[in-house]
Amino acid sequence: MNLYSLFQSRFPADGAKVFLQHARGTTSFGEVEEISGRYAAVLKASGVAKGDRVLVQTPKSPEAVLLYLACLRVGAVFVPLNTAYTISEVAYFVADAEPRVIVTAPEAEASFATRFKSQTCEILTLGARGDGSLIARAKEAKSDASVAPCERDDLAAIVYTSGTTGRSKGAMLTHANLASNALVLHEYWAWEPGDVLLHALPIFHVHGLFVALHCALLNGSSVIFHDRFDTAQIIRDLPGASVMMGVPTFYTRLLEEPRFERRTCRNVRLFISGSAPLLPETFAAFEARTGHRILERYGMTEAGMIASNPYRGERVAGSVGFALPGVSVRVVDAQGAERPRGEVGMLEVAGPNVFAGYWRMPEKTAEAFRPDGYLITGDMAVIAEDGRISIVGRAKDLVISGGLNVYPKEVEDCINAIPGVLESAVIGLPHPDYGEAVTAVIVPQHDAPIDATMIQSRLAGKLAKFKQPKKIFFVSELPRNAMGKVQKNVLRKKYADAYARPHNA
Ligand code: MCA
Ligand code: AMP
């Protein structure tokens, strides 16, 4: 059961129908078949066989989508990386995933070749304009029409998520995980024959790559494909779309723009939000401006989509709706005992969507699951009598900034390694644009001449930009509880207004 075969079985009979509509033209479903077959031939010629990893850090482009599909066809394991990662961050993923092929941007080729020369892998390139060695080779290649037969448990992708211990873990997602989730979402969100998706999410994460694109592929739908989120371009193209998916920042940014109005959304039937909490104020302001009630859903890399507000029923602000069909959820106490409905506890999930474990980390995998197979999400939730779920907090020390996850431990480790720093605490604070902003509270060593500019410049080459603190505060000591643990809640309270807009703004 290869996921690509499932998509293929749903492609429109008319191969000329447009799949991707983008700044450089269009890609039809017929071209998806033909070109992904060429990329598959190039990958095979580079020695990629079933089960081999293909690590991809390229700018968003239609070709990058076809490269993903080519990997599925070959039975290779697609390993997408955030384009913001620095080369030192990438080096960890290369060592861990041991890819057969790395695909990077042409401008990064030289540094990748130097850095990864000891690795037994080939480096191909793919640029933002559809340029690069992968494309040049594909032009010469004969399209390989085959699709590798797969078992349910064969891996389709490894998506890295950081951990509270600071080391990233590769979440192994099988063809069956991705297929089951895609089929459920396609049905639950009532995809219709004429639907057009407006796509402005990055394609290195579950949201933009799997949730959004898989629904469109299963529906044989056209996708208006933006290379990044840009408010003006969204307003320009939204009238041609019927579905949009985004992180809450997309919706707050649209609301900032007076030109975004009811008319802009005249053909839209569904706005979906996820990856971070959608504030009830945003939900209400969006409804007041457009008449649309945003449908909020909840998921995580390890389990794809878990819960969603209903398409036809009531969409409630501050709630993520009901467990998706086939997905089981429960709320438990600190000992793992199930809690009654209406009480707060840790949310756990089981179902065909739940991943196969962390790549080459059996202990981490064991820690993530209960003996009966439920995955511990790290999110605190309440399940109401009728099954409606509300996420009320996080037990994991995690900041979600503009839908991107930042694990404080990783940032703290980098800051603590800077000479002159005694210790630090990294927290997320409310931010009008990103939802939460990464913020560092630092204790300098006695009389050390350090300041925010120096800290920022030291972090620049080490951490991706979105992980770097937006503000830094210096203190003489960190608040600790009786056990000596840093009280981050005290810091979050103290600096709660750090990013608040002035009242007259
Ligand atoms: C970019 N920067 C950021 C972020 N993005 N800083 C903090 N948080 C961010 N999210 C950096 C940039 O490098 C830039 O630095 C500076 O901050 C300002 O960038 P800005 O212009 O705001 O960036 P942007 O290009 O407009 O991007 C913001 C964004 C983007 C549109 C919110 O981050 C985005 O598309 N986020 C979506 C992430 C996503 O898909 N998450 C799903 C994960 P400089 O100016 O110095 O260059 S999947 C998931 O969570 C689960 C499974 C789920 O449930 O979906
Ligand atoms: P990731 O590790 O990138 O897959 O992020 C998954 C995490 O994002 C979840 O465990 C939640 O903490 C958070 N998340 C995703 N969707 C929502 C939502 N709708 N409301 C609150 N938190 C969410």
Side-chain angles (χ1 to χ4, degrees):
M1 206 211 67
N2 187 311
L3 178 63
Y4 185 81
S5 306
L6 173 65
F7 296 146
Q8 220 173 16
S9 70
R10 306 285 193 100
F11 283 172
D14 177 10
K17 178 166 180 191
V18 169
F19 171 46
L20 299 176
Q21 190 179 315
H22 50 92
R24 285 181 281 115
T26 58
T27 308
S28 67
F29 279 93
E31 286 168 326
V32 167
E33 291 268 57
E34 158 71 19
I35 302 172
S36 67
R38 284 172 184 261
Y39 293 0
V42 173
L43 292 174
K44 283 184 182 173
S46 298
V48 175
K50 200 172 151 193
D52 284 343
R53 275 77 58 211
V54 176
L55 185 132
V56 177
Q57 191 193 35
T58 62
K60 187 178 175 185
S61 71
E63 291 79 5
V65 175
L66 302 183
L67 173 59
Y68 162 57
L69 296 176
C71 288
L72 291 179
R73 292 183 75 154
V74 175
V77 184
F78 188 71
V79 188
L81 291 187
N82 191 330
T83 44
Y85 290 152
T86 62
I87 192 148
S88 356
E89 288 170 306
V90 174
Y92 170 82
F93 300 115
V94 172
D96 192 58
E98 293 189 309
R100 182 74 202 84
V101 162
I102 297 177
V103 188
T104 184
E107 48 283 12
E109 185 177 16
S111 54
F112 270 54
T114 314
R115 183 85 182 225
F116 305 123
K117 61 176 180 289
S118 59
Q119 211 79 24
T120 49
C121 66
E122 183 153 359
I123 297 175
L124 297 174
T125 60
L126 171 58
R129 293 173 307 281
D131 48 329
S133 61
L134 170 74
I135 308 302
R137 287 193 202 180
K139 284 196 179 122
E140 305 300 318
K142 186 173 169 309
S143 184
D144 182 336
S146 65
V147 179
C150 282
E151 301 296 324
R152 292 181 58 80
D153 293 339
D154 283 338
L155 298 189
I158 295 177
V159 183
Y160 278 93
T161 73
S162 292
T164 37
T165 51
R167 247 185 100 201
S168 282
K169 300 169 287 185
M172 299 190 288
L173 297 162
T174 66
H175 283 257
N177 289 149
L178 299 181
S180 73
N181 216 227
L183 287 166
V184 163
L185 295 176
H186 180 255
E187 180 81 21
Y188 205 75
W189 293 337
W191 280 75
E192 294 172 4
D195 271 334
V196 175
L197 172 74
L198 182 53
H199 192 296
L201 287 157
I203 54 168
F204 42 72
H205 279 312
V206 166
H207 196 165
L209 183 63
F210 301 147
V211 183
L213 286 177
H214 287 180
C215 282
L217 284 161
L218 279 184
N219 204 52
S221 267
S222 298
V223 177
I224 304 172
F225 195 72
H226 289 182
D227 56 11
R228 59 181 289 274
F229 180 85
D230 177 271
T231 313
Q233 285 184 28
I234 296 287
I235 292 173
R236 185 195 66 200
D237 287 349
L238 202 49
S242 62
V243 180
M244 190 179 110
M245 298 188 195
V247 296
T249 300
F250 285 17
Y251 296 107
T252 49
R253 285 191 183 180
L254 282 169
L255 287 168
E256 289 282 304
E257 178 52 67
R259 286 183 303 134
F260 177 67
E261 50 185 7
R262 203 171 267 258
R263 259 173 45 81
T264 327
C265 312
R266 58 188 176 273
N267 293 318
V268 180
R269 71 169 180 87
L270 182 58
F271 286 101
I272 300 173
S273 175
S275 307
L278 180 74
L279 296 179
E281 303 89 88
T282 311
F283 179 93
F286 201 85
E287 185 175 17
R289 179 87 67 90
T290 67
H292 282 274
R293 292 170 76 82
I294 299 173
L295 183 154
E296 185 173 10
R297 75 0 170 233
Y298 156 79
M300 68 189 285
T301 301
E302 290 87 339
M305 295 304 100
I306 297 167
S308 171
N309 272 280
Y311 179 64
R312 289 197 179 79
E314 186 70 1
R315 298 176 197 167
V316 177
S319 154
V320 295
F322 302 93
L324 287 164
V327 177
S328 308
V329 291
R330 67 186 182 199
V331 156
V332 302
D333 65 17
Q335 284 70 44
E338 191 159 354
R339 303 210 73 179
R341 295 270 158 130
E343 290 188 18
V344 176
M346 171 71 76
L347 187 71
E348 299 186 345
V349 57
N353 52 318
V354 175
F355 78 143
Y358 294 112
W359 172 253
R360 292 179 179 168
M361 288 187 178
E363 322 76 46
K364 294 280 173 209
T365 303
E367 281 168 23
F369 286 96
R370 296 283 177 194
D372 63 357
Y374 272 75
L375 170 72
I376 305 165
T377 62
D379 291 310
M380 304 304 288
V382 180
I383 306 181
E385 279 304 332
D386 62 355
R388 184 176 275 285
I389 306 164
S390 300
I391 307 294
V392 296
R394 270 174 232 144
K396 49 192 172 191
D397 192 12
L398 162 70
V399 179
I400 306 184
S401 169
L404 293 174
N405 290 5
V406 181
Y407 279 85
K409 175 78 168 67
E410 185 186 1
V411 185
E412 288 160 2
D413 285 350
C414 285
I415 295 175
N416 296 346
I418 299 172
V421 172
L422 185 63
E423 59 173 347
S424 64
V426 168
I427 50 174
L429 295 176
H431 187 281
D433 185 33
Y434 295 121
E436 291 172 25
V438 176
T439 308
V441 184
I442 297 179
V443 183
Q445 275 164 2
H446 183 63
D447 279 348
I450 56 172
D451 60 22
T453 316
M454 174 266 199
I455 300 285
Q456 296 286 20
S457 69
R458 290 298 188 99
L459 295 179
K462 294 207 174 69
L463 287 176
K465 182 83 191 179
F466 69 89
K467 297 180 191 170
Q468 295 171 29
K470 301 278 181 217
K471 280 193 182 170
I472 297 176
F473 296 100
F474 292 94
V475 294
S476 55
E477 61 179 343
L478 295 173
R480 290 183 190 277
N481 65 14
M483 316 285 289
K485 195 169 178 295
V486 176
Q487 292 171 302
K488 290 198 170 179
N489 54 337
V490 173
L491 293 174
R492 278 191 287 266
K493 213 163 161 189
K494 177 170 174 192
Y495 297 108
D497 294 331
Y499 301 92
R501 289 204 171 110
H503 285 304
N504 58 357

